[in-house]
Amino acid sequence: MTQPIVSVNWLSKHLDHPDLVILDATIKKVTAPDESTNSNLKIKGARFFDIKNVFSDITTDIPNMLPTAEAFSEACKSLGISSHHTIVVYDTLGIYSSPRVRWMFIAMGHQNVAVLDGGFPAWQKAEQPCEIDDAKPQEYNRGDFKASYIPKLVTNAKTVLIEMNAENTLILDARSPGRFTASEPEPRKSLKGGHIPNSMNLHYTKVLDDGKMRPTAELQEILQHFNIEDKKLIFTCGSGITACIIMLAAELAGYHDVSVYDGSWSEWGQLDDVPIQC
């Protein structure tokens, strides 16, 4: 695996490779809970990567928080994932939750992972092999995955408080402009409106085109407007999902000093002792 994304054509050619694991990381958009996810079909041989119920820290009320390295390793082993596997992640919305899973694996020390560009819609459009997903729990030969946590890829609220005022750091927020400025309400009603001081808004849809990542040259042009050369980049959003989309875009554009604020606005928007701008 040499790139953070792979094409439908690449996956089709390697579909039956014994060292390949395909993960369906589909979740519903928090802003569109009734949207169809084509959940009755999946890519041939895909395994369901349950972000919400298995691969999140269930001891906190903040959604989608990264689990411990031990818990992540154990869940991967149960899913039949080993450290030697090449992993391709997709979701049924094109590119939505799959970059989150890629970031999780990289944060856990597994570099051999990529996002399927265009996700399941692109796979279906190309008439590639699918199968019925009966939603029954599957049993796999136990893997030997072992996480090696990389802290610099994960940022917490305490660090954000410091970094938001740093000259060589930029925080990019993937939420919609309306949520960023508090001109439209948060989908989670318990949260305040607004954004982290000194952060800038890059709605995740700007880096996508019909469910696929825009070409590298277009991503570079988009990001150049933020004057981020040689800066540390911290990505945030509502709950740590779409932040990973714009982080992926930044990586494709050539930026590598990157991390994700894992708690994102689901945490910051409910804290009492942090500043908020509107």
Side-chain angles (χ1 to χ4, degrees):
M1 193 77 70
T2 59
Q3 294 293 327
I5 60 173
V6 295
S7 66
V8 165
N9 185 51
W10 185 97
L11 183 57
S12 176
K13 289 180 178 178
H14 296 85
L15 188 62
D16 296 318
H17 195 288
D19 290 337
L20 177 68
V21 171
I22 304 169
L23 299 178
D24 177 351
T26 299
I27 61 172
K28 291 182 178 180
K29 290 184 181 180
V30 68
T31 53
D34 296 326
E35 186 165 351
S36 172
T37 58
N38 300 311
S39 58
N40 63 321
L41 286 176
K42 64 179 181 179
I43 292 176
K44 178 187 173 185
R47 309 173 190 187
F48 181 55
F49 187 95
D50 192 344
I51 296 176
K52 292 289 187 181
N53 301 306
V54 177
F55 287 92
S56 289
D57 181 358
I58 59 174
T59 66
T60 176
D61 61 353
I62 302 171
N64 310 324
M65 291 289 285
L66 197 66
T68 64
E70 293 75 16
F72 188 89
S73 294
E74 185 61 28
C76 283
K77 291 175 183 177
S78 297
L79 204 51
I81 300 173
S82 294
S83 294
H84 72 275
H85 279 139
T86 294
I87 298 171
V88 172
V89 193
Y90 77 93
D91 61 69
T92 60
L93 296 175
I95 290 183
Y96 182 66
S97 49
S98 50
R100 169 76 184 187
V101 176
R102 176 184 171 270
W103 169 76
M104 292 171 73
F105 272 102
I106 292 174
M108 293 297 175
H110 189 83
Q111 299 292 325
N112 203 17
V113 56
V115 168
L116 177 62
D117 199 17
F120 190 68
W123 185 262
Q124 266 194 313
K125 186 177 181 179
E127 299 182 343
Q128 295 296 326
C130 300
E131 60 189 23
I132 298 294
D133 184 1
D134 58 13
K136 293 180 180 178
Q138 300 292 317
E139 292 188 6
Y140 302 97
N141 293 328
R142 189 169 174 81
D144 65 6
F145 187 90
K146 184 176 182 180
S148 181
Y149 181 59
I150 303 176
K152 70 176 183 178
L153 293 174
V154 187
T155 299
N156 58 28
K158 183 178 179 181
T159 302
V160 170
L161 272 171
I162 299 170
E163 294 286 356
M164 68 183 187
N165 295 313
E167 184 177 341
N168 293 322
T169 299
L170 178 63
I171 301 171
L172 283 175
D173 191 325
R175 293 176 301 155
S176 68
R179 291 171 66 187
F180 185 79
T181 60
S183 61
E184 62 184 50
E186 284 293 312
R188 298 173 181 87
K189 295 182 180 180
S190 61
L191 302 179
K192 305 163 191 171
H195 58 268
I196 297 167
N198 300 319
S199 62
M200 299 183 74
N201 185 217
L202 174 57
H203 194 206
Y204 75 93
T205 59
K206 298 289 187 182
V207 303
L208 300 176
D209 181 18
D210 194 26
K212 294 183 178 182
M213 295 300 298
R214 291 188 178 278
T216 299
E218 291 185 22
L219 296 176
Q220 290 172 337
E221 183 178 357
I222 290 168
L223 288 162
Q224 282 172 358
H225 292 292
F226 293 93
N227 189 28
I228 57 178
E229 291 294 336
D230 301 321
K231 287 187 178 180
K232 176 181 180 180
L233 303 178
I234 299 174
F235 300 93
T236 184
C237 60
S239 63
I241 300 294
T242 59
C244 298
I245 299 176
I246 60 173
M247 187 191 80
L248 174 59
E251 290 181 88
L252 289 167
Y255 301 94
H256 301 292
D257 192 357
V258 297
S259 70
V260 170
Y261 172 25
D262 197 25
S264 284
W265 199 255
S266 291
E267 179 180 46
W268 196 271
Q270 67 178 349
L271 295 176
D272 293 326
D273 54 352
V274 298
I276 290 176
Q277 287 183 342
C278 295

